[in-house]
Amino acid sequence: VASMLVVEDDATIGRALRISLETRGHTATLVTTGDDALRACSDAHVDLVLLDLGLPDIDGVAVCERLRAAHPALLIIILTARDDEIDVVTGLEAGADDFLTKPVRLAELHARLDVHLRRHAGTTAGTTADGTTRITMGGLVVDLARRSAHIDGRDLPLRAKEFDLLLRLAQEPGVAVRRETLMADVWGVRWESSTKTLDVHMAALRRRLTAAGDHTGAVMPLITTLRKHGYRLDPPEPRPGDDS
Ligand code: CA
């Protein structure tokens, strides 16, 4: 059971989404403007926002950016018109965790929500296969129990899905992970449905790792892109003089 906010100015769609969420036992509030969405998220705790990008007052992408800035842990799923790829990429870069195209199929909506909420609660990532709760790669430590990453003891701020991606890759260091597998394991969706989601999040994760390495001087693992196949997280080469 989660607290959800539906931001949708089309009354019919908004109402259908709200009722469907409530039927599944969630608490759902419906608002129709960007202003009301921002207010609702600052007034009360919200776990997840379904955000239509075409709103009457503030542009949905700007709403997404402001929600992300104010609430780092909030799950944001944007709703876009079919085939509107520019909207999708802009929305993901503005901080959305995922997107659904309209008309929203309710079975798909609930399947995705289940995965997002389960991952968010951390119940799928407590330990690795051999029972450890930390993965260390060079200066980077991925803490499964706390769902956080550190570099030389300092927090590396990551969005929820960036952490999930890093964790998934770090669980098989040096092994190529197929795009389909990453989509299924991190977003719970079939590969064909949202390739952009993976690419945008992976680009953001890579930028953060690189920037953190540059900033701290720590040796960092590298994300390697395997064209048309997937990604691989390569442990850093030991520096000359390192004993380990
Ligand atoms: Ca709209």
Side-chain angles (χ1 to χ4, degrees), residues 8-10 52 54-55 102:
E8 170 61 80
D9 60 318
D10 181 312
D52 175 37
L55 296 171
K102 293 203 238 182

Side-chain angles (χ1 to χ4, degrees), residues 98-203:
D98 198 358
F99 73 92
L100 284 166
T101 46
K102 293 203 238 182
V104 175
R105 289 182 299 127
L106 294 176
E108 186 185 3
L109 168 70
H110 289 299
R112 297 254 203 123
L113 291 184
D114 287 349
V115 172
H116 281 293
L117 294 169
R118 200 162 58 226
R119 287 221 153 245
H120 221 49
T123 49
T124 54
T127 55
T128 58
D130 64 0
T132 54
T133 59
R134 282 167 169 243
I135 300 170
T136 303
M137 299 177 98
L140 177 72
V141 175
V142 182
D143 187 328
L144 284 70
R146 293 185 49 219
R147 281 183 57 80
S148 61
H150 317 273
I151 295 163
D152 293 340
R154 273 176 287 191
D155 266 336
L156 173 67
L158 293 174
R159 282 162 47 192
K161 292 292 149 188
E162 292 166 5
F163 177 82
D164 289 336
L165 268 182
L166 175 63
L167 174 59
R168 181 62 188 79
L169 290 172
Q171 283 169 330
E172 291 183 273
V175 173
V177 184
R178 298 181 70 87
R179 300 169 66 90
E180 297 90 317
T181 306
L182 290 168
M183 288 304 301
D185 287 357
V186 174
W187 281 273
V189 293
R190 285 166 46 136
W191 151 247
E192 311 89 59
S193 57
S194 52
T195 69
K196 286 290 164 198
T197 311
L198 174 62
D199 295 331
V200 171
H201 279 81
M202 194 65 82

Side-chain angles (χ1 to χ4, degrees), residues 57-132:
D57 57 342
I58 312 172
D59 175 52
V61 171
V63 175
C64 182
E65 244 164 22
R66 286 161 68 174
L67 286 176
R68 173 56 66 219
H71 310 283
L74 178 66
L75 278 165
I76 304 173
I77 299 179
I78 51 176
L79 308 175
T80 66
R82 194 165 292 284
D83 296 331
D84 208 341
E85 194 167 277
I86 291 171
D87 265 9
V88 167
V89 172
T90 316
L92 290 167
E93 285 176 345
D97 297 291
D98 198 358
F99 73 92
L100 284 166
T101 46
K102 293 203 238 182
V104 175
R105 289 182 299 127
L106 294 176
E108 186 185 3
L109 168 70
H110 289 299
R112 297 254 203 123
L113 291 184
D114 287 349
V115 172
H116 281 293
L117 294 169
R118 200 162 58 226
R119 287 221 153 245
H120 221 49
T123 49
T124 54
T127 55
T128 58
D130 64 0
T132 54

